[in-house]
Amino acid sequence: MPGRVSTRNVESLSAAQKASTRPLKSRRTTALSNVTIPDEGPSSPLRTRICLIFGDAQKSTAAHRKLAVNLRKIQEECCYEPTSRRRQDDNQFGEDDFNVEIARSVIRLMGVKKSEGAGDRIVRFLGMFLRRANDEDAALLPEVDIEDPQTFPETPSTRLTSHILSILLPLLASKEKVVRYRATQLVAHIINSLDSVDDDSYHLIRVGLLKRVRDKESMIRVQAVLGLGRLAGNEGEEDQDNADSDNDNASGLLDKLLEVLQNDPSAEVRRALLLNLPLAPKTLPFLLERARDLDSATRRALYSRLLPALGDFRHLSLSMREKLLRWGLRDRDENVRKATGKLFRERWIEDCVGSTEVAEDGTTQQALPSSFDGLLELLERIDVVNAAASNGIATEAMRDFWLGRPDYRDAISFNDPFWDHLTPESVFVARSFNDFCKGTEDGKFETLVEEKMPEVTKLAFFVQRYINALISCIRSNSTLGEGEPEEDTVEKEFIVEQLLYIAEALDYSDEIGRRKMFALLRETLAIAELPEGITKLVVDVLRRICGSETAGEREFCGIVLEAVAEVHDHIMSDDLPADNEDGSFHSARSELSDSTPTKARSGNRASRDGDNSELDEEKAMREIMINLKCLHIAQCMLENVEGDLQQNIHLVTMLNNLVVPAVRSHEAPIRERGLLCLGLCCLLDKALAEENLSLFLHCFSKGHDALQVSALYILSDILTVHSNLVTADNVDPALLKSVYKIFGKGLKASTAAEVQSAATSALCKLMLTSVFRDEDLLKQLVMLFFDPAAKENAAVTQALSYFLPVFCHSRRENMEMMAAISASVVHNQVNLADEMDEEDGAIGVNMIGNMLVDWTDARKLVVQDASSIGWDEAGGKGTRAVDGDIHLTLAECLLERALAHGCSKDERKVLLSMVGKLYITSTPSAEKLQAVSDLVAEAIDAKLATDTATKNALNKCHLALTKALGDARKVQSKMEDQPVDATMAENENKMEVESEVEETENEVQVDKTVAGTGARDSGLEELLDDDV
């Protein structure tokens, strides 16, 4: 135990300017930067002991704890009075000597580069020592000094820390980036190692690190935010309000760090802030926003480190839980998806299952590791009713859950009581479990379905029970009066939907179960009150039961059309009692008409007219409802049919009796749904599609936004299935022009955002499949991609960002189309750039030129053509030099545009800079190379290049063309010499072959003669024998 603090004076303060004669060891002599170290003077025992400790600390971190203890002993010897006189006589150094030697070692650290591991180990050692020394000094202080928040206790360790910081803080602004990095790193590490610092040092550190946040080196910014993250957690509102504006602290420290988190270009800086900012209501939205960060490692850090440390996920809002799951499970990086799945199945389930329960004796008991109730609560917390929709995330989350939690997979049980009391969460557990077991590729979980799930017959009874409950609830709600509360049917609909999803995935090899389910769904489809979502699922399950053969498809169509007729008759029959009652009422009044006064008769006539108008209106609404219901069933059926329309009599009947009258209807809802059904019918018959193509074009021209979107999708599907409608040789030019005009009109900025995104996605699909080969449409897509106004439509931007590179790099023909329009695109963009301000967010013209050059680079073709494929002597397939004729064509277009009279100075600068980035090879013909070379020479002679960059670009292209032209002429000369030799060799071979053929023919003739002679001789001998 050390004694009281020493009061010995330091002999000389000049020792503070000395440095150790044993510097930190380094593997490289170049690791030290140009730091001026003054004369150190003679060595001392204290310096030797401290240097030995630092020398050992830089080698490995394994002995840091022991070395920190030894260094602490040296500090106690220098700073505290020894307990014995002998130790007092041996100790010749004071506290200032110790601080000076430590500071001199710190100065030596400043020149060590980041790549040197010894520097990082020394930083960790200093942090460990300062934390240990401050803790031990604080233990020696009276409790009164520790508990007083207004005073900062002064100890030898705090004075040493202040001394080190006073040396480091001026170095934060050094011109040497290595010095700035080490100084910032050590300051940040000291801040994170200690519990508190004095106020003067705190403000100096705050100002210095805030300046380093704007450093041009990302490694320095990382260390600065590591230190400021600790300060932001301890900074109060008063400190932020009283910040000094002269020191760049006008706004709060936390606000500045949040701004850096959102806008810093370095992913390491954003990741460091993500993991070191305090978790507070103010910072939480900004931290969770990093789930959409561009860097995959930052996104993974959020899901694997921040969210597990956040605490109970139930404190997050429902929308934020859903977004985090959706963003993580659908991330493009596999590691992020794995981290999200692990978070859901391990951390979030623990928050629900592992909630502590207080026992009778007051102790807390932990819930069981696998709990069905906890799983139900987890699904309830993510709003499974909405998250399990077609685009919901609950299905993907539960698939990953069943895959990663075999304990739940084995413990789950679906007995009869489970099916008697279904909730949205429990039925979704059953549906997700069934989908998971059925969806595995190797089928190793099929046995679990057979063991745990009910058979088809039993499931049919459960489906029937919950469908009946739903229909009765719907019918009771329809009979309620005004003001009476309706019973919510959302959960009942969800339960029925999940049961139908289970039924769709079942195996119908059991004939009894198949017949039971078939009869149930057939009756269910004919229920008029059945919701549309359930109707679609019923039709899908019926299609699954009927089978995929042609006979099964025909049976399926007949059943659905019968259900349509029953629905129509059922709804119409509801009107008959009202009509009969109305008729009897009229007949009764007619009997009394003679005895009724004229005024009364006129009043009754007016009331009858009013009643008739109300009845007519109600009847019209009823007819609209009937037609919409029938058309929806027909639409669901058409979505499950693949055969020929004309070969199926049921489809022809439906088309003539239901779809065509709906298209001709005057009611807009019926007409729009009829168009959807007609479009699906057109997919099944080419002649029908050709007849009605003009109808869909008319719907786009005259319809509203929703109808225009439907017409675009219908046209896209029809042209994709029947592509020869626009690609055949005998296609009508007027029709083709109308189709192109419709899509071009949809791309304009004046159209609605939904229409523009639908036209963009449809046109991209048609051009990727080579249905459309129009340069004007491609030019409009490229212009739309570079249009700043289109950035507000995220769907358009996302579609074009994927389409343009894939379109160009997939086929050579597509790349040639892009090269043909590049010059005009640059011309239009330069003109638009002159009209726009920089604040509009327009892409720079030089950036546009670079993208066009990249899109037309033949080296990036995914599938090379035959000219780029060769064969070696061993017969192996190889790749030759890529044909650069596309860039050569682009160079010709660019140079012709640059030499034109209407080309402006800015446009010419962009065009010539693009020419210098082209890939020129000797594979094209010498004539084409010579033509482009002449254009380049003409541009150089005309002095089109006015600055150094464009001159260098032209000279670079000219040199490349000269080299390629020389190589091409060498190849051409070799090919010209080769035919002469080849002709002579061919003639010699031909003469040899002819001589061989003549010899062969002569031999064959001789053989035939000999054979004939032999045959005649044998015949004479037989005749002679017969005569004898």
Side-chain angles (χ1 to χ4, degrees):
M1 176 66 67
R4 60 187 179 85
V5 179
S6 175
T7 57
R8 294 195 305 269
N9 295 328
V10 182
E11 296 179 357
S12 176
L13 296 177
S14 61
Q17 306 297 327
K18 297 180 181 179
S20 174
T21 57
R22 294 186 60 185
L24 295 176
K25 295 181 180 180
S26 175
R27 292 190 297 270
R28 302 177 187 173
T29 57
T30 59
L32 297 177
S33 59
N34 298 326
V35 179
T36 303
I37 301 176
D39 184 18
E40 299 178 351
S43 179
S44 64
L46 178 63
R47 181 185 305 172
T48 303
R49 295 173 65 186
I50 293 177
C51 288
L52 286 174
I53 291 176
F54 274 91
D56 294 336
Q58 71 179 344
K59 296 177 182 178
S60 174
T61 59
H64 275 188
R65 188 179 300 274
K66 180 180 179 181
L67 294 174
V69 173
N70 295 336
L71 189 60
R72 172 61 181 173
K73 291 180 180 179
I74 297 176
Q75 184 188 24
E76 291 177 353
E77 293 176 3
C78 296
C79 301
Y80 291 94
E81 290 288 348
T83 55
S84 62
R85 182 175 297 276
R86 179 180 179 182
R87 294 181 61 183
Q88 183 176 3
D89 295 338
D90 295 339
N91 188 11
Q92 302 175 359
F93 303 99
E95 177 182 344
D96 292 340
D97 297 326
F98 179 82
N99 293 347
V100 167
E101 294 299 332
I102 296 294
R104 289 168 61 253
S105 299
V106 169
I107 293 175
R108 285 301 182 99
L109 172 66
M110 294 299 101
V112 182
K113 291 185 177 180
K114 181 185 177 182
S115 58
E116 292 289 338
D120 297 334
R121 289 190 284 270
I122 289 297
V123 170
R124 293 182 59 184
F125 172 71
L126 279 173
M128 178 184 293
F129 167 71
L130 291 176
R131 180 171 62 251
R132 183 184 185 90
N134 278 275
D135 292 342
E136 292 184 2
D137 285 346
L140 300 177
L141 294 176
E143 296 183 0
V144 177
D145 296 341
I146 298 177
E147 295 177 356
D148 189 4
Q150 302 296 330
T151 60
F152 181 77
E154 186 176 355
T155 63
S157 298
T158 58
R159 290 192 290 269
L160 173 61
T161 304
S162 300
H163 183 60
I164 294 176
L165 291 175
S166 65
I167 295 175
L168 293 176
L169 292 176
L171 298 178
L172 294 177
S174 174
K175 294 182 179 180
E176 292 286 338
K177 65 178 181 181
V178 177
V179 177
R180 294 199 311 274
Y181 168 72
R182 287 300 179 187
T184 310
Q185 181 189 24
L186 188 52
V187 170
H189 196 76
I190 291 175
I191 294 173
N192 287 281
S193 300
L194 303 181
D195 294 332
S196 60
V197 293
D198 60 281
D199 292 340
D200 296 336
S201 300
Y202 174 84
H203 291 292
L204 292 176
I205 292 171
R206 189 177 187 274
V207 173
L209 292 182
L210 274 175
K211 292 181 179 180
R212 291 307 100 211
V213 168
R214 306 298 181 186
D215 199 284
K216 63 180 180 180
E217 300 293 336
S218 60
M219 61 179 183
I220 300 175
R221 298 200 303 273
V222 169
Q223 301 300 326
V225 299
L226 287 176
L228 290 174
R230 176 67 185 277
L231 298 183
N234 299 326
E235 187 177 67
E237 295 182 358
E238 295 181 0
D239 296 334
Q240 298 185 28
D241 295 338
N242 298 330
D244 188 4
S245 59
D246 296 336
N247 294 330
D248 195 24
N249 292 336
S251 60
L253 175 60
L254 196 57
D255 295 334
K256 288 183 174 296
L257 293 180
L258 293 177
E259 181 185 358
V260 173
L261 177 66
Q262 287 184 307
N263 303 314
D264 196 282
S266 173
E268 295 182 359
V269 176
R270 300 194 302 270
R271 196 180 316 128
L273 272 176
L274 175 69
L275 300 176
N276 289 276
L277 277 178
L279 298 175
K282 182 178 180 180
T283 60
L284 189 59
F286 296 92
L287 296 176
L288 299 181
E289 192 182 60
R290 291 302 95 200
R292 307 298 287 170
D293 196 277
L294 294 176
D295 180 57
S296 59
T298 303
R299 301 194 301 271
R300 185 172 66 251
L302 173 71
Y303 286 100
S304 61
R305 299 180 61 181
L306 179 68
L307 288 177
L310 187 60
D312 197 335
F313 81 100
R314 290 172 288 189
H315 296 301
L316 298 174
S317 64
L318 180 60
S319 62
M320 184 54 67
R321 297 174 211 157
E322 192 271 337
K323 287 180 181 179
L324 288 174
L325 272 182
R326 175 159 46 86
W327 293 339
L329 292 176
R330 295 177 181 174
D331 196 277
R332 58 181 175 269
D333 187 79
E334 184 180 359
N335 294 324
V336 179
R337 295 195 298 269
K338 289 181 179 179
T340 309
K342 185 177 181 181
L343 174 72
F344 178 78
R345 68 175 180 264
E346 294 182 5
R347 187 65 183 88
W348 284 14
I349 189 67
E350 288 178 2
D351 292 338
C352 298
V353 176
S355 56
T356 56
E357 298 179 358
V358 181
E360 295 180 356
D361 56 355
T363 60
T364 58
Q365 296 179 347
Q366 195 73 11
L368 295 175
S370 58
S371 172
F372 185 71
D373 294 335
L375 181 57
L376 296 182
E377 182 184 355
L378 176 61
L379 293 176
E380 183 182 359
R381 296 292 182 178
I382 63 173
D383 190 15
V384 69
V385 176
N386 295 319
S390 58
N391 196 30
I393 198 60
T395 305
E396 301 175 28
M398 286 304 296
R399 187 187 304 117
D400 188 86
F401 179 85
W402 294 119
L403 183 63
R405 294 302 298 264
D407 53 339
Y408 276 85
R409 217 166 47 222
D410 298 334
I412 199 72
S413 176
F414 303 110
N415 49 19
D416 292 343
F418 169 84
W419 299 100
D420 293 336
H421 306 283
L422 288 178
T423 61
E425 292 78 19
S426 62
V427 72
F428 183 73
V429 169
R431 178 256 174 121
S432 62
F433 180 80
N434 184 73
D435 291 347
F436 167 74
C437 295
K438 293 283 187 179
T440 52
E441 297 179 357
D442 51 359
K444 62 180 180 179
F445 298 119
E446 288 284 348
T447 55
L448 291 178
V449 176
E450 298 176 0
E451 295 174 1
K452 299 178 181 295
M453 299 298 292
E455 59 273 11
V456 179
T457 306
K458 185 178 291 186
L459 183 66
F461 283 106
F462 294 143
V463 173
Q464 185 176 9
R465 178 192 306 173
Y466 286 99
I467 286 179
N468 293 337
L470 173 63
I471 297 303
S472 62
C473 181
I474 293 175
R475 289 173 178 172
S476 62
N477 287 339
S478 63
T479 58
L480 294 176
E482 296 183 0
E484 298 183 10
E486 294 184 356
E487 185 178 357
D488 190 12
T489 60
V490 176
E491 293 187 357
K492 290 184 173 60
E493 290 182 20
F494 182 79
I495 293 174
V496 174
E497 288 175 359
Q498 303 309 307
L499 290 174
L500 290 174
Y501 277 120
I502 296 174
E504 188 178 5
L506 292 181
D507 184 11
Y508 289 98
S509 58
D510 180 15
E511 186 62 23
I512 298 177
R514 177 188 174 278
R515 290 180 180 179
K516 174 62 180 176
M517 185 66 74
F518 181 82
L520 170 64
L521 297 180
R522 167 67 183 80
E523 296 174 0
T524 302
L525 189 60
I527 299 175
E529 296 85 359
L530 198 66
E532 291 190 352
I534 298 178
T535 301
K536 184 179 185 307
L537 288 174
V538 169
V539 174
D540 294 342
V541 179
L542 274 175
R543 185 69 185 92
R544 171 91 163 77
I545 295 174
C546 292
S548 58
E549 299 83 4
T550 305
E553 183 176 288
R554 190 177 293 109
E555 179 188 9
F556 165 71
C557 295
I559 292 169
V560 174
L561 289 182
E562 289 177 5
V564 169
E566 291 185 15
V567 170
H568 184 275
D569 295 341
H570 175 74
I571 299 178
M572 290 298 295
S573 63
D574 294 343
D575 293 337
L576 294 179
D579 294 340
N580 295 335
E581 181 179 331
D582 186 68
S584 62
F585 174 72
H586 281 286
S587 62
R589 284 187 298 180
S590 63
E591 294 177 357
L592 299 175
S593 59
D594 296 336
S595 60
T596 306
T598 305
K599 188 174 182 180
R601 287 202 303 270
S602 62
N604 291 335
R605 189 179 300 111
S607 64
R608 285 199 305 270
D609 294 339
D611 295 339
N612 289 335
S613 62
E614 293 178 1
L615 291 173
D616 292 341
E617 183 179 354
E618 183 179 355
K619 185 177 180 180
M621 293 297 297
R622 174 77 68 171
E623 290 179 355
I624 293 175
M625 183 183 68
I626 294 170
N627 291 324
L628 289 177
K629 179 67 177 178
C630 296
L631 287 170
H632 179 261
I633 298 175
Q635 178 184 347
C636 297
M637 179 191 68
L638 290 170
E639 291 173 354
N640 288 275
V641 175
E642 298 178 356
D644 189 2
L645 178 70
Q646 300 298 332
Q647 300 298 326
N648 194 328
I649 187 61
H650 302 292
L651 295 179
V652 175
T653 303
M654 180 207 62
L655 175 65
N656 296 328
N657 298 334
L658 182 62
V659 177
V660 173
V663 173
R664 296 173 179 174
S665 175
H666 296 287
E667 301 295 338
I670 298 176
R671 187 169 59 248
E672 292 173 11
R673 185 158 290 182
L675 284 172
L676 291 177
C677 294
L678 181 61
L680 292 171
C681 292
C682 291
L683 298 179
L684 305 176
D685 187 65
K686 178 184 175 182
L688 184 65
E690 188 174 2
E691 293 175 3
N692 294 280
L693 201 60
S694 58
L695 172 63
F696 297 118
L697 296 176
H698 177 76
C699 291
F700 179 85
S701 301
K702 304 299 182 181
H704 52 82
D705 295 343
L707 187 59
Q708 287 181 340
V709 172
S710 301
L712 285 171
Y713 285 137
I714 292 171
L715 287 171
S716 173
D717 294 339
I718 290 176
L719 295 177
T720 301
V721 176
H722 309 294
S723 58
N724 51 3
L725 291 177
V726 292
T727 58
D729 296 335
N730 58 349
V731 65
D732 186 7
L735 178 63
L736 186 61
K737 183 178 179 181
S738 300
V739 174
Y740 287 167
K741 183 179 179 181
I742 288 299
F743 283 95
K745 183 179 178 182
L747 295 178
K748 293 182 178 179
S750 59
T751 58
E754 297 82 4
V755 179
Q756 189 181 38
S757 59
T760 303
S761 59
L763 186 56
C764 291
K765 294 176 183 177
L766 292 172
M767 298 199 74
L768 276 177
T769 54
S770 299
V771 177
F772 284 177
R773 305 287 302 171
D774 187 69
E775 293 184 358
D776 292 336
L777 288 177
L778 179 61
K779 181 180 176 181
Q780 290 185 47
L781 288 175
V782 176
M783 295 295 295
L784 182 62
F785 178 67
F786 294 130
D787 188 5
K791 301 301 179 183
E792 299 177 358
N793 195 337
V796 172
T797 305
Q798 185 177 10
L800 291 176
S801 299
Y802 172 81
F803 163 74
L804 289 172
V806 172
F807 174 78
C808 295
H809 298 156
S810 58
R811 300 183 62 182
R812 178 174 290 272
E813 294 81 4
N814 300 341
M815 195 171 282
E816 291 173 352
M817 286 179 59
M818 183 62 71
I821 66 170
S822 295
S824 59
V825 168
V826 172
H827 172 70
N828 293 336
Q829 288 298 323
V830 170
N831 294 337
L832 291 175
D834 296 337
E835 301 174 0
M836 296 181 183
D837 298 332
E838 296 181 358
E839 299 178 356
D840 295 337
I843 303 177
V845 185
N846 291 324
M847 179 66 69
I848 294 174
N850 294 337
M851 297 176 75
L852 291 173
V853 170
D854 178 76
W855 291 341
T856 54
D857 191 350
R859 292 172 292 181
K860 295 189 176 182
L861 277 173
V862 177
V863 180
Q864 299 289 346
D865 53 3
S867 63
S868 302
I869 298 176
W871 303 88
D872 54 13
E873 297 178 356
K877 187 176 180 181
T879 303
R880 300 174 182 171
V882 178
D883 192 355
D885 58 345
I886 299 178
H887 267 182
L888 199 64
T889 304
L890 178 60
E892 186 176 4
C893 297
L894 297 177
L895 290 170
E896 288 178 354
R897 177 60 194 168
L899 291 168
H901 277 297
C903 186
S904 63
K905 181 179 179 181
D906 295 335
E907 180 183 353
R908 186 178 293 115
K909 182 179 179 180
V910 177
L911 295 174
L912 295 181
S913 64
M914 291 174 61
V915 169
K917 300 172 184 176
L918 301 180
Y919 176 69
I920 307 297
T921 62
S922 59
T923 51
S925 62
E927 293 78 8
K928 192 172 183 179
L929 288 169
Q930 184 63 49
V932 179
S933 180
D934 294 341
L935 289 174
V936 174
E938 183 180 354
I940 295 175
D941 295 339
K943 296 182 180 180
L944 297 182
T946 56
D947 56 347
T948 306
T950 51
K951 289 180 181 178
N952 293 337
L954 275 178
N955 293 331
K956 180 180 178 182
C957 183
H958 186 65
L959 291 175
L961 285 169
T962 304
K963 181 180 179 182
L965 190 59
D967 296 340
R969 286 174 177 171
K970 290 180 182 179
V971 174
Q972 187 174 3
S973 61
K974 290 181 180 179
M975 293 179 64
E976 290 176 354
D977 297 339
Q978 185 176 0
V980 178
D981 300 335
T983 304
M984 295 176 62
E986 185 179 354
N987 293 333
E988 293 179 358
N989 293 333
K990 187 175 181 181
M991 294 174 62
E992 293 178 359
V993 170
E994 289 178 353
S995 62
E996 291 178 359
V997 170
E998 290 178 357
E999 292 177 0
T1000 305
E1001 289 178 352
N1002 293 332
E1003 292 177 358
V1004 171
Q1005 276 185 333
V1006 170
D1007 293 338
K1008 287 182 179 180
T1009 304
V1010 173
T1013 306
R1016 287 194 298 271
D1017 292 343
S1018 62
L1020 288 173
E1021 291 178 356
E1022 290 178 358
L1023 290 172
L1024 291 173
D1025 292 341
D1026 291 339
D1027 293 338
V1028 175

